[in-house]
Amino acid sequence: MRSDEIKKGTERAPHRALLKALGLTDKNMTKPFIGIVNSYTNLVPGHTHLNNIANAVKQGITAAGGTPFEFNTIAVCDGIAMGHQGMRYSLPSRELIADSVEIMTQAHRLDGIVLVTNCDKITPGMLMAAARLDIPAIMVTGGPMASGTFHGEKVGVNNVFEGVGKAFAEKITGEELAELEAAACPGCGSCNGLFTANTMACLTEALGMSLPHCATALAAGALKLRLAQESGERIVGLVAEDLRPSRILTREAFENAVAVDMALGGSTNSVLHLSAIARESGVSLPLSVFDEVSRRVPHLCSMVPSGPYDMEDLGDAGGVPALMKELASFLHTEALTVTGGTVGENLVRAEVLNGEVVRPLSRPVHAGGGIAILSGNLAPKGAVVKTVAVSSSMLRHAGPARVFDSEQEAVDAIRKRLVQSGDVVVIRYEGPRGGPGMPEMLVPTAAIAGMGLSECVALVTDGRFSGATRGPCVGHVAPEAFEGGPIAVVRDGDVIEVDIPGRLLNVRLSEQELRERLAAWKPREPKVAKGVLARYSPTPME
């Protein structure tokens, strides 16, 4: 065992002395040392209950003959960070989380780890750490919150963001917005729909890194505690079997996750996160894989925010295993999972319990998958759009550009009703380096939706979108403006063409005109000179 490096032999007497200061007995030291990585904080709704889950994990580890040690990492709530400078710190937190897990695990020579996680960047950060460390590991995602109820309808935080737009458009009163605000988020857990947090929980399960049904088990439910205890027990088995992430996080597993993502219609952020986890795993996962899978795997689950069903509905319908059972012909069922069995073996008892929530292949919500990769002279290296969140009338759209060099400029213009039907809003210098930190842009997209413009206005950005975004919103445009990508030279009035079925994103300029504009473009100074964000924004020439 790796932990023998700190607990066996005469020369390790000082190490044992320190471990005994923790209350460990000689018997404890004969057992596998298992780390519990807990991202608990009482500042984030998705994490405020994680101590209860970690305690259940400890019980499982102890019952199975392991010695548990708990340590923490950070968590950013994207909802609370949204729409101000704090959102620039969200994506960079993913790398800090992965680094902190690596540091603690390696420094203390743990034999295995249980990653207790939730929310947008924490789950992928922990998966990145598991892949990087390649010691036995299992994930316990913290689970979704229940939906709120407002005027007899299910609601969540996305409805509140859109409610702000409705309030600016005078479609609801301030009193109604306050009532919605109080009702939308009734308790702990990740937000109720298929936003980034729950998308990544489902994909963790599809990758084989968490136990079946973990993604949809509600945060406040007893099933989540039982799964946590079983995960604690299972990690001791994984250590005994030396079953490592490198045997689970294969190309086949990532293709399974992409297929599940397409069938769910998940967040566009999954492209960023699966790609990063694959890199840590040494697996090639080019953008073309997402588009190829999207063309052949149908969309089967009409989930919030683009449909009526929430995460509780998905769980009641049989959860991720039920969906994967329906998708079996598209999956690599021989792929290994943390159960010790294959995907196919795990699905033997899976069953679709509600054919409206998990549609059959013969009756999909949409014939194609939930995400498309666009390219063209505006995005030579690609862009990403959530196709299932776009109405059929906006799958193809061409209109004049309304160009903004920051998210806040765009929000101000939208709220002042300066954006008109038919426009294409362009928000640039909000990419990974230009932002810096590639902030999510739920505020402008929710304002557009709330003001009733999502059926007639498109949005294009080198930043990214929240999983709660709906409408014709194209993000991740690459190269970004800060690096001199074509989006940097778009001007007000240029006609931008968004063709989702044709996978095109173009600005209607001649090649010569585009070349001349790019030749005249001048790099900008970074917005941030010090701190974490400065690491993401060196000048384009560096």
Side-chain angles (χ1 to χ4, degrees):
M1 290 189 293
R2 279 166 40 108
S3 60
D4 288 349
E5 297 176 39
I6 61 170
K7 65 187 184 185
K8 280 197 172 181
T10 302
E11 70 277 14
R12 297 305 184 220
H15 304 68
R16 290 193 296 274
L18 290 167
L19 290 167
K20 287 181 177 180
L22 301 174
L24 264 65
T25 66
D26 287 333
K27 186 176 182 180
N28 293 145
M29 290 197 222
T30 65
K31 301 174 182 179
F33 280 11
I34 308 297
I36 301 170
V37 188
N38 183 0
S39 55
Y40 162 80
T41 168
N42 66 359
L43 184 55
V44 180
H47 295 246
T48 189
H49 64 301
L50 293 188
N51 279 345
N52 292 335
I53 293 176
N55 286 336
V57 170
K58 286 178 197 172
Q59 293 171 15
I61 292 169
T62 301
T67 298
F69 297 92
E70 184 178 352
F71 61 93
N72 293 89
T73 189
I74 64 168
V76 170
C77 176
D78 278 23
I80 297 174
M82 193 72 66
H84 54 82
Q85 289 296 316
M87 177 43 68
R88 303 188 189 284
Y89 289 85
S90 173
L91 186 58
S93 76
R94 186 187 69 180
E95 274 62 35
L96 180 56
I97 290 161
D99 291 347
S100 68
V101 176
E102 176 192 2
I103 288 168
M104 287 293 290
T105 302
Q106 293 287 51
H108 300 99
R109 312 311 294 157
L110 299 172
D111 297 306
I113 47 175
V114 182
L115 301 132
V116 179
T117 175
N118 222 7
C119 295
D120 298 40
K121 308 307 173 298
I122 301 86
T123 296
M126 290 202 186
L127 279 167
M128 290 166 64
R132 184 187 302 174
L133 288 163
D134 199 28
I135 65 170
I138 190 169
M139 301 280 290
V140 182
T141 50
M145 71 170 68
S147 294
T149 303
F150 180 69
H151 293 179
E153 295 184 358
K154 288 182 179 180
V155 292
V157 71
N158 60 306
N159 301 96
V160 186
F161 276 103
E162 293 187 8
V164 173
K166 291 179 180 180
F168 276 106
E170 299 181 349
K171 294 182 177 182
I172 62 173
T173 65
E175 291 76 14
E176 288 174 315
L177 181 60
E179 184 184 347
L180 172 60
E181 167 192 323
C185 301
C188 64
S190 50
C191 297
N192 66 327
L194 197 66
F195 314 132
T196 304
N198 291 324
T199 296
M200 290 311 302
C202 290
L203 301 190
T204 298
E205 194 174 322
L207 283 167
M209 286 298 294
S210 64
L211 294 181
H213 301 285
C214 191
T216 54
L218 288 180
L223 176 58
K224 180 62 69 178
L225 295 177
R226 294 197 297 272
L227 287 166
Q229 185 163 338
E230 290 170 5
S231 299
E233 294 172 359
R234 181 61 194 139
I235 188 61
V236 179
L238 290 169
V239 170
E241 299 158 20
D242 197 28
L243 179 50
R244 303 179 182 217
S246 56
R247 293 177 58 197
I248 297 170
L249 295 175
T250 61
R251 172 64 179 256
E252 291 74 18
F254 283 100
E255 291 181 359
N256 285 348
V258 174
V260 168
D261 193 14
M262 297 306 162
L264 284 168
S267 166
T268 55
N269 285 313
S270 63
V271 177
L272 286 176
H273 298 321
L274 286 177
S275 299
I277 299 159
R279 280 194 298 273
E280 296 285 1
S281 304
V283 172
S284 174
L285 192 68
L287 274 178
S288 58
V289 172
F290 292 87
D291 202 57
E292 185 275 325
V293 174
S294 179
R295 290 177 185 272
R296 61 184 175 84
V297 175
H299 175 217
L300 300 183
C301 301
S302 186
M303 303 288 293
V304 173
S306 52
Y309 301 114
D310 63 11
M311 290 300 292
E312 187 173 5
D313 293 325
L314 181 59
D316 290 343
V320 174
L323 176 60
M324 294 182 74
K325 184 80 170 267
E326 188 64 29
L327 286 176
S329 60
F330 295 100
L331 302 179
H332 300 282
T333 55
E334 75 284 0
L336 198 59
T337 75
V338 290
T339 67
T342 64
V343 167
E345 289 167 342
N346 291 348
L347 298 182
V348 168
R349 291 189 296 276
E351 182 181 0
V352 176
L353 302 176
N354 186 328
E356 293 302 315
V357 178
V358 179
R359 295 275 194 96
L361 293 174
S362 60
R363 190 170 54 88
V365 182
H366 296 98
I371 291 174
I373 307 300
L374 311 186
S375 61
N377 68 355
L378 191 55
K381 293 186 178 180
V384 182
V385 62
K386 185 173 180 177
T387 58
V388 299
V390 183
S391 69
S392 58
S393 64
M394 289 295 288
L395 290 173
R396 289 184 173 90
H397 178 77
R402 294 280 288 124
V403 182
F404 305 95
D405 286 348
S406 72
E407 177 188 8
Q408 190 58 52
E409 290 177 26
V411 170
D412 291 343
I414 293 165
R415 289 177 176 172
K416 292 175 183 175
R417 305 191 187 186
L418 299 178
V419 172
Q420 304 297 318
S421 175
D423 286 349
V424 178
V425 175
V426 176
I427 305 177
R428 62 191 180 191
Y429 293 100
E430 295 287 14
R433 298 172 72 186
M438 203 178 189
E440 285 185 353
M441 300 199 194
L442 180 56
V443 173
T445 61
I448 287 172
M451 297 177 78
L453 297 174
S454 60
E455 296 297 314
C456 56
V457 170
L459 195 153
V460 175
T461 181
D462 55 6
R464 60 194 178 92
F465 296 115
S466 165
T469 292
R470 60 189 179 95
C473 300
V474 183
H476 307 197
V477 170
E480 63 178 290
F482 189 78
E483 295 182 331
I487 194 172
V489 297
V490 173
R491 298 172 183 168
D492 278 339
D494 289 343
V495 176
I496 292 177
E497 176 187 11
V498 180
D499 181 352
I500 294 172
R503 302 303 201 256
L504 292 174
L505 180 64
N506 285 322
V507 56
R508 290 180 182 171
L509 298 173
S510 68
E511 290 185 18
Q512 180 178 349
E513 172 70 13
L514 195 54
R515 280 198 303 269
E516 289 175 356
R517 290 190 189 184
L518 288 169
W521 174 80
K522 302 295 183 184
R524 295 192 173 192
E525 289 296 318
K527 296 176 185 175
V528 177
K530 63 181 180 179
V532 171
L533 294 182
R535 302 172 195 168
Y536 289 80
S537 57
T539 64
M541 290 79 72
E542 289 180 335

